[in-house]
């Protein structure tokens, strides 16, 4: 996973703890300031991403910038930050997928620090200032403090100097991290337990050795392996017999906890419905059985949860849980299947497609829902299939902001899966669209890919995307 500005900015603060680690991170940060003075993904523009990345980067520079070049970058960053803050009310509302992870808790902490440093004006009744009230309300709901068995640990830096929010006896993971988050771990080693050797070791192993930047999350081995194997098996079923995949299938099986499933990393204490659903289906595709009870443990009265206490359910988690229920042999009318389908019916937006909180492009989640429902619950996704056909660019590609290999691959996968089960006029249109898309995709295979995934900032799981591209190219065999 390529480095991101937000987490790298936190590591850059560690100059008094580990100057080498800090200097490398600062070098990466200075080299990745955008032309307008901000930090974040250059494209696509996602307001929450720009706010959180620019705040974190500016604080890092202000706290340790001593060179004339640092001062110049601070001046440019201040101008960008003020523009971002001035337009925050309208800008944040434009991000229809919603906030980045932990934004309403992290942003007020960073805003308060930036105000103290004189980087921005007092926010007061502006939207970034009002977020402080939401943070205070949510803080009251934290039971038992922030600990490694809660998702909040991934964003532990939200605590700032409120150390009483932390359950220090149960905060760190076995790999030395806090929530498998470089940012949260850098906060811990900077402000909570300065110089902690296990945390520093984790950060050193997580950084990009050449550039000094760090990713949004590390490790993410279950997620990376599962999504890659799922993508490849979708259009290449016989890959399950290939000797090269055996160790990866065995790894997923070991990461599985009966009755609980799995999380995005083997070293992460929190399990979730999204990874559990997709890993179950993936293992079934590779002829390895695990318990469906683990998937069903995420069932709620009206939907399935991704994480405990989540504010809004995930549509992609429902797609993957539906895929798991289907792979387990459940009938279309089984109560858990009906529950997942009814949730997706309610979550569908006008036009017949879906948004999700983990990805800024509707093509990701919509394509995965089409794949889960093709030949199983076609009435749910027929309108979505037509939406995919209608929104294909003249070039043959797809893209919410600009044409991308990632989004084009997802649409090829979905239309190909639909065509395998539903003969007729729509099938012909789908196959024609796939043929045109393949011509474009063959010329756009290689990374870098734009960051379309939503963490605390936008990020790019490169191998997962590459496997989707290879999966799409494989439909022409």
């Amino acid at each position: 996973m390529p480095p991101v500005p937000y987490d790298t900015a936190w590591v850059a603060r560690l100059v008094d703890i580990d100057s080498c680690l800090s200097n490398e991170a600062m070098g990466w940060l200075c080299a990745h300031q955008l032309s307008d003075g901000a930090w974040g993904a250059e494209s696509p523009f996602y307001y929450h991403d720009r706010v959180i990345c620019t705040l974190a980067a500016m604080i890092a520079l202000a706290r340790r910038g001593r060179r004339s070049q640092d001062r110049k970058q601070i001046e440019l960053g201040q101008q960008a930050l003020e523009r971002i803050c001035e337009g925050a009310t309208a800008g944040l509302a434009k991000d229809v997928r919603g906030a980045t992870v932990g934004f309403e808790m992290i942003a007020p902490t960073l805003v308060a620090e930036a105000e103290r440093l004189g980087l921005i004006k007092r926010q007061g009744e502006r939207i970034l200032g009002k977020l402080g009230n939401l943070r205070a309300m949510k803080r009251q709901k934290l039971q038992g403090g922030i600990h490694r068995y809660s998702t909040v640990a991934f964003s532990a830096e939200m605590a700032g100097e409120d150390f009483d929010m932390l359950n220090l006896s149960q905060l760190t993971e076995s790999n030395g991290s806090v929530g498998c988050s470089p940012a949260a771990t850098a906060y811990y080693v900077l402000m909570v337990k300065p110089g902690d050797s296990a945390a520093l070791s984790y950060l050193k192993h997580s950084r990009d050795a050449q550039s000094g930047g760090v990713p949004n999350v590390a490790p993410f081995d279950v997620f990376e392996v599962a999504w890659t194997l799922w993508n490849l098996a979708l259009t290449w079923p016989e890959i399950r017999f290939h000797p090269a995949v055996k160790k990866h299938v065995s790894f997923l099986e070991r990461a599985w906890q009966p009755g609980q499933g799995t999380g995005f990393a083997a070293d992460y204490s929190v399990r979730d419905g999204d990874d559990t659903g997709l890993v179950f289906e993936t293992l079934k595709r590779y002829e390895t059985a695990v318990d469906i009870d683990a998937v069903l443990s995420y069932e709620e009265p009206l939907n399935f949860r991704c994480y405990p206490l989540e504010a809004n359910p995930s549509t992609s988690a429902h797609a993957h849980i539906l895929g798991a229920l289907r792979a387990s042999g459940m009938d279309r009318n089984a109560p858990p299947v009906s529950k997942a389908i009814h949730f997706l019916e309610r979550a569908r937006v006008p036009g017949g497609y879906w948004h999700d909180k983990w990805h800024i492009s509707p093509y990701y989640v919509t394509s995965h829902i089409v794949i889960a429902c093709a030949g199983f619950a076609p009435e749910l996704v027929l309108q979505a299939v037509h939406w995919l056909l209608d929104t294909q660019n003249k070039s043959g590609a797809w893209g919410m902001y600009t044409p991308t290999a990632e989004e084009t691959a997802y649409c090829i996968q979905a239309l190909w899966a639909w065509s395998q089960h539903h003969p007729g006029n729509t099938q012909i249109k789908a196959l024609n669209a796939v043929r045109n898309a393949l011509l474009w995709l063959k010329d756009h295979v290689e990374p870098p890919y734009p960051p379309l995934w939503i963490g605390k900032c936008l990020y790019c799981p490169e191998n997962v995307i590459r496997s989707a591209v290879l999966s799409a190219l494989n439909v022409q065999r």
Side-chain angles (χ1 to χ4, degrees), residues 13 34 164 314 469:
R13 292 199 198 191
L34 301 176
D164 58 327
S314 163
V469 171

Side-chain angles (χ1 to χ4, degrees), residues 43 98 151 197 223 277 333 344 400 409 455:
S43 177
T151 57
S197 59
F223 164 62
N333 296 312
L344 291 172
M400 190 65 185

Side-chain angles (χ1 to χ4, degrees), residues 222-243:
V222 172
F223 164 62
E224 184 175 51
V225 169
W227 262 250
T228 297
L229 291 181
W230 184 89
N231 276 321
L232 297 177
L234 183 67
T235 61
W236 186 16
E238 59 270 28
I239 197 176
R240 67 187 186 276
F241 302 119
H242 199 292

Side-chain angles (χ1 to χ4, degrees), residues 10 13 18 40 42 60 71 104 129 136 138 145 161 190-191 202 247 253 268 277 313 318 345 367-368 394 400 439 458:
W10 273 100
R13 292 199 198 191
D18 189 313
E42 183 170 12
R71 289 194 292 273
E104 71 280 9
K138 289 202 169 189
E161 296 181 356
L190 176 69
M191 299 179 66
Y202 162 81
K247 66 178 181 180
E253 191 176 13
Y268 187 43
H318 281 78
E345 286 176 341
S367 294
H368 278 221
K394 291 181 180 180
M400 190 65 185
L439 294 174
L458 298 186

Side-chain angles (χ1 to χ4, degrees), residues 368-391:
H368 278 221
I369 294 171
V370 170
I371 291 165
C373 292
F376 188 63
E379 73 287 351
L380 178 66
V381 296
L382 180 58
Q383 191 178 1
V385 170
H386 286 291
W387 177 75
L388 293 176
L389 293 171
D390 291 342
T391 56

Side-chain angles (χ1 to χ4, degrees), residues 46-293:
Y46 201 73
Y47 215 88
H48 288 83
D49 170 76
R50 288 289 180 96
V51 169
I52 213 80
C53 289
T54 304
L55 277 169
M58 284 297 299
I59 290 169
L61 277 166
R63 287 206 173 275
R64 59 152 297 178
R66 295 182 177 88
R67 304 168 303 172
S68 60
Q69 178 63 27
D70 293 337
R71 289 194 292 273
K72 291 177 182 177
Q73 292 196 275
I74 289 173
E75 290 172 5
L76 289 172
Q78 278 185 298
Q79 295 167 15
L81 197 54
E82 191 57 37
R83 288 194 300 271
I84 287 171
C85 293
E86 288 286 351
T89 300
L92 296 175
K94 291 179 181 178
D95 292 346
V96 295
R97 263 64 67 196
T100 47
V101 172
F103 183 86
E104 71 280 9
M105 298 293 282
I106 297 170
T109 302
L110 294 177
V111 165
E113 189 171 6
E115 288 176 344
R116 289 195 299 271
L117 291 169
L119 294 172
I120 56 175
K121 299 174 184 176
R122 293 284 172 181
Q123 293 301 294
E125 290 302 306
R126 298 185 191 181
I127 185 65
L128 292 178
K130 288 182 177 180
L131 283 174
N133 297 328
L134 181 59
R135 179 184 182 275
M137 182 187 71
K138 289 202 169 189
R139 179 185 172 178
Q140 293 178 351
K141 295 181 180 294
L142 287 175
Q143 300 296 321
I146 298 173
H147 53 81
R148 66 188 180 97
Y149 299 102
S150 69
T151 57
V152 186
F154 181 71
S155 305
E157 69 272 20
M158 70 173 66
E161 296 181 356
D162 297 334
F163 302 124
D164 58 327
M165 293 175 65
L166 307 173
N167 183 337
L168 296 178
S169 65
Q170 299 188 71
L171 185 58
T172 57
E173 299 285 355
S174 60
N175 61 10
S177 76
V178 176
C180 292
S181 163
T185 307
Y187 158 76
Y188 175 78
V189 82
L190 176 69
M191 299 179 66
V192 182
K193 193 175 180 182
D196 182 76
S197 59
L200 279 172
S201 177
Y202 162 81
L203 290 172
K204 289 174 182 176
H205 282 94
S206 300
R207 80 190 193 285
D208 181 85
Q210 293 184 326
S211 70
V214 295
N216 163 75
V217 58
F220 60 110
D221 43 18
V222 172
F223 164 62
E224 184 175 51
V225 169
W227 262 250
T228 297
L229 291 181
W230 184 89
N231 276 321
L232 297 177
L234 183 67
T235 61
W236 186 16
E238 59 270 28
I239 197 176
R240 67 187 186 276
F241 302 119
H242 199 292
V245 306
K246 290 182 180 178
K247 66 178 181 180
H248 302 297
V249 173
S250 296
F251 166 74
L252 293 181
E253 191 176 13
R254 291 194 304 273
W256 187 271
Q257 296 293 316
Q260 300 178 51
T262 188
F264 63 72
D267 286 332
Y268 187 43
S269 296
V270 181
R271 313 285 185 255
D272 70 87
D274 195 20
D275 288 280
T276 295
L278 191 127
V279 168
F280 181 95
E281 184 185 355
T282 299
L283 288 174
K284 289 290 286 186
R285 288 181 182 271
Y286 288 83
E287 300 184 340
T288 300
V290 288
D291 62 302
I292 192 64
D293 288 342

